[in-house]
Amino acid sequence: MRPYLITAKPGRAYRAAAWAGRWALKALALLVMAGLGALVLAVRCARPIVNYAATRAAWLELWAASVTGISPVGAAIGAGITDEFIREFHRARTGATV
C-alpha cells in the first residue's frame, strides 16, 4: 500500500475505476492471445491442404507443359525462390549471436 496523506488518498470511485481498467486490460490481452492462438492453429491445420494444392498445381503445370509444348515456368521461379530462402535462412542462422 502506498503511504498517502489523508487528503490525497484516492476515492472509492477512482480505485474502482483503476481496478476495472486493470482487469479490462488483462481481459483484452487474454482475448488477443486467444485470437493469435486460433490463427496459428488454423494455419497449422491448413498446411496439409496447402501442400496438397501446391503438389496438384505443380502436377497440372507439368501436364499442361507436356500437352502444349511450352516449358513450365513455375518450377523455375519456385526453385529460385527456394534457393533465395535457403540462402537467407542460412545467413540468419550462422549470423545469430549466441
Side-chain angles (χ1 to χ4, degrees):
M1 198 60 144
R2 293 191 177 107
Y4 290 106
L5 294 173
I6 294 174
T7 56
K9 184 176 181 180
R12 249 189 203 146
Y14 180 82
R15 285 183 290 163
W19 179 85
R22 276 192 303 273
W23 278 102
L25 186 62
K26 290 177 183 181
L28 180 64
L30 182 65
L31 285 174
V32 167
M33 287 188 285
L36 287 174
L39 179 67
V40 167
L41 179 65
V43 167
R44 290 190 69 143
C45 290
R47 186 175 174 193
I49 298 167
V50 171
N51 287 345
Y52 176 76
T55 303
R56 298 307 294 172
W59 179 85
L60 181 63
E61 182 188 17
L62 291 175
W63 173 80
S66 69
V67 170
T68 61
I70 301 170
S71 64
V73 292
I77 293 171
I81 292 172
T82 302
D83 291 341
E84 181 59 33
F85 176 76
I86 290 170
R87 276 194 297 276
E88 184 65 30
F89 178 74
H90 180 69
R91 227 178 294 144
R93 189 172 48 97
T94 57
T97 57
V98 178

